[in-house]
Amino acid sequence: MTGGARRTGRPARTLVVTAVAAERDAVCAAGGPYTPHTLPGGLALHRGTGTGPVLDVLAAGVGPAAAAAGTATALTAAALDGAPYSLVISAGIGGGFAPAAPLGSVVVADALTAADLGAETPEGFLPVTELGFGTVTHHPDPALVRAVAAACGAHTGPVLTVSTVTGSAARAAELTARHPGALAEAMEGFGVAEAAVAHGAGVLEIRTVSNAVGPRDRAAWRIGPALTALTGAFAALPAALRAL
């Protein structure tokens, strides 16, 4: 719990950031109740009520820029209210790298990596860090990763943030060669992490797998089961947070 939360006597709060409303609703279905709250700029925050670990859930939009902007807005509003968040979770469905992350599985990231933040060169891709700028990876607290993964029955490994969803076998192979051990790809985790770290909050990413990373085949997607798995993961989350 942060100092601000202790001063006000409020329970520890966690911000959960999804891309779209369907993901937000899947998270909210795991607990609640929630009350609506409008953030500056018109974003709708579902504010959790109750005691113990309390989750506030925000659908911030698709992609790392929207995720970072929405997360920063929510974090700033909470800080001004005197109750800053201690943890921010990027959550939703995503693509899994077969066979390590099969359809319907849960992934908890031990690294949130911007997979395509950098420059193409004749010698290959250079991440922005090798250009002398910023970072491309944020690492959550390992104890938090272990506890949440155990509670959710999840795989742990790197989750890649991309601005363009992979749609070919060649691109999938390129990503796995560049990021050995990557389990999933999505579009928001790194953006959420950038905002969380800037505000001094912890970060985590939880993904459930709706499709395989590779050739785009909508007929093979399993969005419904992945959303159901997301609800199940968040139903198990409070116990892990209490234990920590």
Side-chain angles (χ1 to χ4, degrees):
M1 186 182 294
T2 65
R6 282 195 295 271
R7 287 193 298 273
T8 62
R10 300 177 185 181
R13 305 188 78 89
T14 293
L15 176 64
V16 182
V17 182
T18 71
V20 299
E23 295 167 322
R24 178 201 64 205
D25 293 346
V27 171
C28 290
Y34 292 89
T35 58
H37 179 74
T38 303
L39 295 174
L43 287 173
L45 180 72
H46 284 44
R47 179 169 284 172
T49 60
T51 59
V54 178
L55 305 182
D56 293 351
V57 190
L58 174 69
V62 175
T71 303
T73 297
L75 287 166
T76 300
L80 292 174
D81 191 40
Y85 294 106
S86 57
L87 175 65
V88 184
I89 302 175
S90 177
I93 64 176
F97 288 96
L103 297 184
S105 62
V106 182
V107 173
V108 175
D110 62 12
L112 290 73
T113 296
D116 49 13
L117 182 60
E120 292 288 350
T121 75
E123 292 74 33
F125 178 82
L126 286 179
V128 71
T129 49
E130 294 189 26
L131 300 174
F133 305 105
T135 186
V136 293
T137 298
H138 292 288
H139 294 280
D141 177 5
L144 176 64
V145 171
R146 289 192 298 269
V148 172
C152 299
H155 305 280
T156 60
V159 175
L160 307 183
T161 299
V162 296
S163 295
T164 301
V165 173
T166 298
S168 68
R171 172 65 170 167
E174 177 188 346
L175 288 175
T176 54
R178 194 188 304 161
H179 304 282
L183 292 185
E185 75 166 19
M187 301 182 75
E188 293 80 31
F190 184 80
V192 171
E194 286 279 273
V197 169
H199 282 257
V203 68
L204 190 68
E205 184 168 9
I206 301 174
R207 293 284 168 183
T208 54
V209 177
S210 59
N211 58 280
V213 178
R216 190 172 175 84
D217 179 10
R218 291 182 64 91
W221 293 1
R222 298 295 180 265
I223 292 176
L227 291 171
T228 298
L230 190 63
T231 300
F234 275 85
L237 180 68
L241 297 181
R242 280 193 294 268
L244 289 168

